[in-house]
Amino acid sequence: MIAIARFEVPLASAAQFRAQIERAHQVFSERDGYISGGFGQNLDDTQLWTLVTQWANVGSYRRALSNLTVKMEVVPLLATAIDEPGAYDSSTFTV
């Protein structure tokens, strides 16, 4: 499965946000079932950012979200994401 979270970040906060999203990605990457992922700033609207992670299955992602480190370091960031569905089937996803 693929999890996508999008964020709207004022330009004045971009450096601080980058450090937070970098750490969130690192914490996710240490969880069982994590396959790949990354983050980036939109090229057309530099206030938009995304965090994209690929997981072995939806259970792996949900277990990662229940991990204490994720709850402490990632969930607060995810709570600031744009409110929209973010879980996608990746059965046909290739990189």
Side-chain angles (χ1 to χ4, degrees):
M1 73 143 303
I2 299 170
I4 300 172
R6 295 185 324 122
F7 304 86
E8 189 165 1
V9 180
L11 292 177
S13 302
Q16 178 184 0
F17 180 80
R18 182 182 174 88
Q20 291 173 324
I21 200 169
E22 205 168 73
R23 177 64 182 150
H25 176 253
Q26 178 186 352
V27 170
F28 264 154
S29 73
E30 296 166 354
R31 306 282 68 88
D32 290 338
Y34 172 89
I35 296 172
S36 65
F39 59 90
Q41 189 175 24
N42 188 286
L43 297 174
D44 297 315
D45 182 348
T46 54
Q47 293 189 90
L48 293 177
W49 289 74
T50 190
L51 172 63
V52 179
T53 52
Q54 185 178 12
W55 299 85
N57 52 51
V58 69
S60 296
Y61 177 64
R62 289 183 177 157
R63 282 187 295 280
L65 289 174
S66 67
N67 174 274
L68 181 60
T69 304
V70 172
K71 284 182 181 179
M72 299 296 291
E73 298 191 45
V74 179
V75 171
L77 179 73
L78 293 177
T80 69
I82 296 169
D83 187 17
E84 62 187 11
Y88 295 87
D89 175 17
S90 64
S91 61
T92 59
F93 184 77
T94 59
V95 178

